[in-house]
Amino acid sequence: MEFDFLEPIDNEILDLVQGLTSQQLGSKMVFHTKDQFPNLDKINIAVIGVLENRGAGGVTEDVDLLAIRKELYTMFPGNWDASIADLGTILAGNSIEDSYFALRKVVSNLIKKKIIPIVIGGSQDLTFALYRAFDELEQMVNLVSIDSKFDFGKENDEVSASSYLTKIIIDEPNNLFNYCNIGYQTYYNSQEEIDLVEKLFFDAYRLGEISNKISLAEPVFRDADIVSLDLNSVKSSDSGNFTTFTPNGFNGKEICSLARYAGISDKVSVFGIFNHNDSVQESALVAQIIWYFIEGFHYRSNEYPFGSRENYIKYIVPLEDEVLVFYKSDKTDRWWIEIPFISDGSNKLKRNTLLPCSYDEYLGACNQELPERWWKAQRKNSI
């Protein structure tokens, strides 16, 4: 069976669910038990745990996701119509590669069924397995990481929570079209790494930029396939993580807003939450992050892929050397900018001819400012 890697839900969770009111989230879900695997035909979202944190130098037995599940399932849902399942947990394999393989297979099969996996992990190198899950779909992948660090490593380093991005960039087949970091803190990243992000035409937003205007992140998520959240990007005073002390970072409200933006995106196909330190305090925050992602999913407008343009207003902005074409949805007031499509003989890049953008970028273009993300996307299309 394609989901044999998943262990059933712990009896402690099932006992908890039995005692919930009919209005609580746990009562409205289906679960993978020892006796039954859920029918996935009508499932929209699947929660999966992964007990693997060797990539962060941890001991796999230390990963405990019980408290997260308890917090989440005792919450009350919004006015949702999404069908949610908890499919259980992937145990750590004999090697870390075994864990990657199991996660890759499970996530790939769920995506093919148009089910969004919410992966609650150990270490963030599991993002590599999420990326490789798209191999069979034959498409370019956009990865967004909410992280204080870029997680580059040396070319010959073993893949780890602090070097997985290098593995994604150099590993064949290379299906990465764009990487965007949200919330990096400069003192955690070398100038060489910051320069490399620019050289590769990737996008990065400092913590201060996003904290000052959280809506800057919305167009970024709208173009993402995978969202990987490092919980160390949240400051310790809000996460309760004093094992890995982080004086600066996103606060609880901001990280939940980012999770909601990820959920609203019609394109996000998998959401991963990593580097949980197993504390009860942080478990409450993780549960709320998941809640907000599901809340966002409920409000998806199904504007992607960009189909008929009848519901969009077209704006043409002439610049000195370019003519930019913007589209505004009369349904959601969201904006897109057209990227001139340069064929490379394959169909992989066809989906990137329209780039989500913000109203501010349209206003900037009206003032003869070329949007930086547009320029980078066009450069990547022409390589």
Side-chain angles (χ1 to χ4, degrees):
M1 185 182 171
E2 54 197 359
F3 297 110
D4 281 348
F5 298 109
L6 289 161
E7 289 293 310
I9 291 298
D10 192 287
N11 284 334
E12 192 174 338
I13 293 294
L14 297 177
D15 292 341
L16 172 75
V17 170
Q18 289 294 322
L20 297 177
T21 71
S22 61
Q23 297 302 309
Q24 288 172 289
L25 181 58
S27 298
K28 298 176 180 292
M29 295 176 54
V30 292
F31 295 89
H32 175 197
T33 67
K34 291 176 182 177
D35 301 321
Q36 188 175 357
F37 191 85
N39 181 348
L40 299 181
D41 289 345
K42 295 183 179 179
I43 297 299
N44 304 117
I45 294 172
V47 177
I48 301 166
V50 188
L51 304 186
E52 175 63 78
N53 68 350
R54 280 173 285 189
V59 180
T60 53
E61 288 78 10
D62 288 347
V63 182
D64 184 4
L65 306 176
L66 199 61
I68 295 174
R69 285 180 158 119
K70 286 181 177 180
E71 287 282 345
L72 180 62
Y73 301 148
T74 54
M75 289 179 174
F76 293 90
N79 185 23
W80 303 341
D81 54 14
S83 299
I84 308 167
D86 189 331
L87 299 186
T89 301
I90 297 173
L91 303 181
N94 291 329
S95 69
I96 198 167
E97 288 76 17
D98 292 338
S99 299
Y100 293 157
F101 178 81
L103 179 58
R104 170 185 170 178
K105 284 296 182 183
V106 169
V107 168
S108 179
N109 284 317
L110 288 172
I111 293 172
K112 287 177 184 175
K113 294 178 182 292
K114 301 191 183 305
I115 297 171
I116 297 177
I118 298 177
V119 180
I120 316 168
S123 46
Q124 198 180 13
D125 51 296
L126 294 169
T127 305
F128 175 68
L130 302 185
Y131 166 68
R132 287 273 74 107
F134 283 78
D135 286 355
E136 297 174 35
L137 304 178
E138 298 183 351
Q139 67 173 63
M140 299 300 282
V141 177
N142 290 340
L143 167 64
V144 172
S145 176
I146 305 170
D147 203 336
S148 59
K149 302 176 183 178
F150 292 128
D151 296 325
F152 287 120
K154 295 178 182 177
E155 189 171 334
N156 296 322
D157 284 353
E158 292 290 323
V159 63
S160 71
S162 58
S163 67
Y164 72 89
L165 186 57
T166 300
K167 181 74 170 171
I168 288 176
I169 292 171
I170 66 174
D171 203 54
E172 294 289 341
N174 192 303
N175 298 325
L176 182 68
F177 181 73
N178 192 42
Y179 164 78
C180 180
N181 172 284
I182 291 179
Y184 81 94
Q185 298 178 41
T186 308
Y187 37 73
Y188 288 144
N189 300 277
S190 69
Q191 190 58 49
E192 183 182 22
E193 292 174 313
I194 295 170
D195 292 343
L196 181 60
V197 169
E198 284 294 315
K199 183 180 177 182
L200 295 171
F201 306 117
F202 290 158
D203 301 309
Y205 295 84
R206 290 178 65 174
L207 171 66
E209 287 181 88
I210 301 299
S211 291
N212 287 336
K213 191 170 185 179
I214 198 88
S215 61
L216 282 174
E218 188 277 326
V220 175
F221 287 115
R222 216 186 318 153
D223 204 36
D225 298 290
I226 304 169
V227 176
S228 173
L229 193 166
D230 182 345
L231 288 166
N232 291 322
S233 65
V234 183
K235 60 183 177 180
S236 291
S237 58
D238 280 40
S239 70
N241 180 0
F242 294 100
T243 306
T244 307
F245 184 70
T246 307
N248 287 302
F250 291 115
N251 62 35
K253 180 181 177 182
E254 289 166 345
I255 204 70
C256 287
S257 294
L258 294 176
R260 192 175 188 276
Y261 281 145
I264 286 174
S265 167
D266 294 321
K267 195 177 173 189
V268 170
S269 303
V270 56
F271 182 50
I273 304 170
F274 302 110
N275 292 338
H276 172 46
N277 78 327
D278 299 319
S279 70
V280 175
Q281 294 92 329
E282 192 173 71
S283 297
L285 177 63
V286 175
Q288 291 187 17
I289 288 169
I290 295 170
W291 190 97
Y292 273 99
F293 179 85
I294 300 172
E295 169 86 349
F297 174 84
H298 176 73
Y299 289 102
R300 288 191 172 190
S301 57
N302 299 314
E303 290 183 315
Y304 187 93
F306 200 97
S308 168
R309 303 192 180 183
E310 294 176 1
N311 298 324
Y312 300 85
I313 304 170
K314 184 177 181 179
Y315 296 82
I316 298 174
V317 181
L319 272 66
E320 188 174 338
D321 299 317
E322 298 282 350
V323 175
L324 301 184
V325 179
F326 289 86
Y327 291 92
K328 177 189 174 186
S329 166
D330 60 10
K331 180 179 180 182
T332 63
D333 286 341
R334 296 193 294 188
W335 289 77
W336 283 262
I337 186 171
E338 197 167 71
I339 308 293
F341 174 58
I342 300 172
S343 175
D344 64 348
S346 75
N347 290 320
K348 281 187 173 181
L349 296 179
K350 190 174 287 185
R351 53 186 276 167
N352 292 293
T353 53
L354 280 165
L355 182 72
C357 67
S358 66
Y359 176 58
D360 286 347
E361 286 171 304
Y362 165 72
L363 291 179
C366 292
N367 289 318
Q368 300 297 296
E369 296 172 11
L370 193 67
E372 185 177 355
R373 290 180 65 241
W374 177 92
W375 180 81
K376 288 180 177 179
Q378 189 183 35
R379 290 297 300 269
K380 281 197 284 278
N381 265 343
S382 61
I383 291 175

